[in-house]
Amino acid sequence: MTIRLGAILFGLGLTAVLLLWSLVPGVGILATDGFPEKPDYYAFQEKNIAPEGGFSFEGPLGKWDYQQLQRGYQVYKEVCSACHSLKFVAFRNLQELGYTEAEVRKEASEWQVPGIDPKDGSAISRPGLPTDMFPNPYANDVEARAFNNNAIPPDLSLITKARGDGVHYVYSLMQGYNEVDPEDQAKSPDFETPDGLYFNEYFYNINIAMAPQLPNDRVTYSDGTAATTEQMSQDIAAFLTWAGEPSLIKRKQTGLFVIGFLLFATFLGFMSYKTIWASKKPKKGAVDLV
């Protein structure tokens, strides 16, 4: 008993020491310097927004809107692909969006991907095949920086997974190129947007190297949908969600099946208990003689 009590006290003491070791430096800094000042762009930041009615794939019963995904792919192809890669997605994956095998083969052939000349082994560009991944628009990071004000456009394959609230972040970001609010400017008079950058109230530090990309009618949708900035933003956000997690809907469906199975198994277990063990319970008032 003494050894056990000593071990418990030692463990509590060690925990207290570690807790103080981690907290004291922070308390000391706050006592001397106070809380750090918020950066000057903080006054301009806005919370992410969502489309009216939300996205079709949200919620436990969500599902893909395949017309929306195809529109989103069109926005990526005609706008985003000029700067952003999609390196973890293959052309053959487009069949999951409702394209036929022949349509996928045609789509792939419209892209130029890096290849090797079979005659001399030199690097060439060739039409894509369904098995190819979407190509990077730049040969290397140096070229990417040279064309984008020293910023490297991120790959979009997992962008909705790599950013907090990624789906709504993409949707918001594409609509965030607004004029500076005079009231916000008054709160932070020293704030400015340098040459070569653009004000975007949903970007984490407000000034972004990417110019506005989705003005109204930037693309012409093949299904006749009006290509407003809001609509294109919603479509590209949905497409990039699919690109980052194509199995999202299957995972949700599997989860519902598993939950249903577990509930059914719990019911069977309870009924088995009632059937097998109910008669084994001691009667009320019975005396245990053992």
Side-chain angles (χ1 to χ4, degrees):
M1 183 60 127
T2 305
I3 296 176
R4 181 180 299 177
L5 180 60
I8 293 174
L9 292 176
F10 176 77
L12 291 175
L14 181 61
T15 302
V17 170
L18 292 176
L19 184 62
L20 290 173
W21 184 270
S22 62
L23 291 179
V24 168
V27 173
I29 292 174
L30 289 178
T32 55
D33 300 334
F35 288 95
E37 293 185 4
K38 294 178 179 178
D40 58 357
Y41 57 77
Y42 187 84
F44 302 91
Q45 284 184 333
E46 295 290 341
K47 293 183 178 179
N48 292 339
I49 56 177
E52 185 176 354
F55 289 95
S56 65
F57 50 82
E58 293 180 317
L61 301 178
K63 60 175 115 176
W64 296 124
D65 180 343
Y66 290 103
Q67 281 192 317
Q68 182 181 64
L69 295 182
Q70 290 187 11
R71 291 195 302 268
Y73 167 65
Q74 184 178 348
V75 173
Y76 171 75
K77 178 183 178 181
E78 297 184 13
V79 181
C80 308
S81 64
C83 299
H84 297 275
S85 58
L86 204 65
K87 63 182 180 182
F88 295 123
V89 181
F91 293 112
R92 62 185 176 188
N93 297 136
L94 295 178
Q95 282 188 261
E96 299 176 23
L97 305 188
Y99 292 104
T100 65
E101 186 176 346
E103 288 173 332
V104 170
R105 192 178 297 109
K106 181 177 181 298
E107 277 294 326
S109 66
E110 294 177 358
W111 294 72
Q112 290 294 310
V113 301
I116 297 176
D117 191 330
K119 298 179 180 178
D120 56 16
S122 59
I124 60 171
S125 294
R126 59 170 176 79
L129 298 172
T131 52
D132 291 320
M133 300 292 188
F134 280 86
N136 193 322
Y138 302 108
N140 49 57
D141 289 350
V142 175
E143 184 181 31
R145 288 183 184 278
F147 281 92
N148 294 280
N149 195 28
N150 205 36
I152 300 177
D155 178 78
L156 298 183
S157 304
L158 299 173
I159 195 69
T160 58
K161 310 282 285 183
R163 300 291 186 270
D165 192 22
V167 180
H168 296 135
Y169 168 79
V170 173
Y171 174 75
S172 304
L173 186 72
M174 303 313 297
Q175 301 179 75
Y177 295 93
N178 301 315
E179 296 295 328
V180 179
D181 189 320
E183 294 184 5
D184 293 337
Q185 184 70 69
K187 296 177 184 176
S188 185
D190 295 332
F191 173 83
E192 63 178 0
T193 298
D195 292 340
L197 299 181
Y198 303 87
F199 177 85
N200 189 306
E201 58 192 5
Y202 296 107
F203 190 56
Y204 70 94
N205 68 350
I206 303 301
N207 293 325
I208 187 172
M210 181 175 69
Q213 295 297 312
L214 297 180
N216 291 333
D217 301 318
R218 176 69 187 271
V219 302
T220 302
Y221 283 134
S222 56
D223 63 359
T225 300
T228 62
T229 298
E230 182 180 357
Q231 182 66 59
M232 289 183 288
S233 300
Q234 185 173 353
D235 295 340
I236 189 61
F239 172 73
L240 293 178
T241 302
W242 168 84
E245 192 170 4
S247 60
L248 175 64
I249 302 304
K250 290 182 179 179
R251 180 170 57 80
K252 290 184 178 184
Q253 293 171 344
T254 301
L256 291 174
F257 173 80
V258 170
I259 292 173
F261 173 78
L262 291 176
L263 291 175
F264 180 67
T266 301
F267 174 75
L268 286 182
F270 177 74
M271 295 305 296
S272 299
Y273 162 76
K274 296 291 287 184
T275 302
I276 298 173
W277 296 102
S279 61
K280 305 299 182 182
K281 290 182 178 179
K283 296 181 179 179
K284 289 183 179 180
V287 179
D288 191 351
L289 299 178
V290 179

